[in-house]
């Protein structure tokens, strides 16, 4: 009986670890002005979430640089527009902009960067999105972020 109880307990422990939420994702960006994902789902059980941004293209960041920026969907275009004036040294993002929830730096070919943010910054029922703030890229490089 004890062996059976231990086996059931170990099985339950193993399955709970298998069921644990994945609290990170990798997003790849390319020279074709694209992300390899258009949607990210974040499990409510995640305390923090990490996005690793990679660049599989061959062009340098001053020509085809990309970053990953998280904000409310309604704030995406205004942030991108304001970021153009900030320039590449500031990752095409306005400094101290409270609308930006999280962001990576601008990367070029073969580079990567990551950002980890507190999931409690996201409110259930709010619409969030991610985008690249390099000038002109938001038109093609954007997606949704959903808290599930």
């Amino acid at each position: 009986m004890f062996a059976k109880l231990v086996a059931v307990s170990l099985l339950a422990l193993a399955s709970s670890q298998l069921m644990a939420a994945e609290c990170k994702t990798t997003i790849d960006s390319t020279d074709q002005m694209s992300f390899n994902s258009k949607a990210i789902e974040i499990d409510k059980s995640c305390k923090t979430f990490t996005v690793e941004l990679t660049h599989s293209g061959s062009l340098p960041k001053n020509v085809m640089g990309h970053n990953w920026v998280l904000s409310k969907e309604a704030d995406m275009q205004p942030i991108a527009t304001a970021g153009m004036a900030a320039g590449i040294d500031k990752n095409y993002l306005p400094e101290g902009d409270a609308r930006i929830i999280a962001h990576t730096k601008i990367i070029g070919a073969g580079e990567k960067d990551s950002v980890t943010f507190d999931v409690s910054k996201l409110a259930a029922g709010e619409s969030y999105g991610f985008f690249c703030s390099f000038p002109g890229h938001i038109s093609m490089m954007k997606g949704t972020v959903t808290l599930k």
Side-chain angles (χ1 to χ4, degrees), residues 19-119:
M19 297 301 288
E22 185 70 27
C23 297
K24 64 181 178 183
T25 191
T26 299
I27 302 287
D28 185 53
S29 57
T30 70
D31 288 344
Q32 287 71 46
M33 256 176 50
S34 66
F35 286 132
N36 69 337
S37 177
K38 294 285 183 198
I40 296 172
E41 288 188 344
I42 300 174
D43 194 288
K44 287 180 189 146
S45 69
C46 293
K47 299 276 185 248
T48 61
F49 194 83
T50 301
V51 174
E52 181 178 68
L53 178 67
T54 59
H55 192 313
S56 62
S58 59
L59 296 171
K61 70 181 180 182
N62 63 324
V63 176
M64 190 55 69
H66 303 305
N67 62 354
W68 184 91
V69 183
L70 171 64
S71 71
K72 291 180 180 177
E73 280 190 346
D75 294 332
M76 290 168 53
Q77 188 62 58
I79 292 168
T81 300
M84 286 192 289
I88 195 166
D89 292 339
K90 293 184 176 148
N91 299 298
Y92 293 110
L93 291 170
E95 276 190 291
D97 192 323
R99 299 172 297 180
I100 300 168
I101 298 167
H103 71 88
T104 66
K105 65 182 183 183
I106 294 276
I107 60 171
E111 296 179 325
K112 62 181 169 180
D113 191 31
S114 64
V115 62
T116 300
F117 58 91
D118 188 340
V119 174

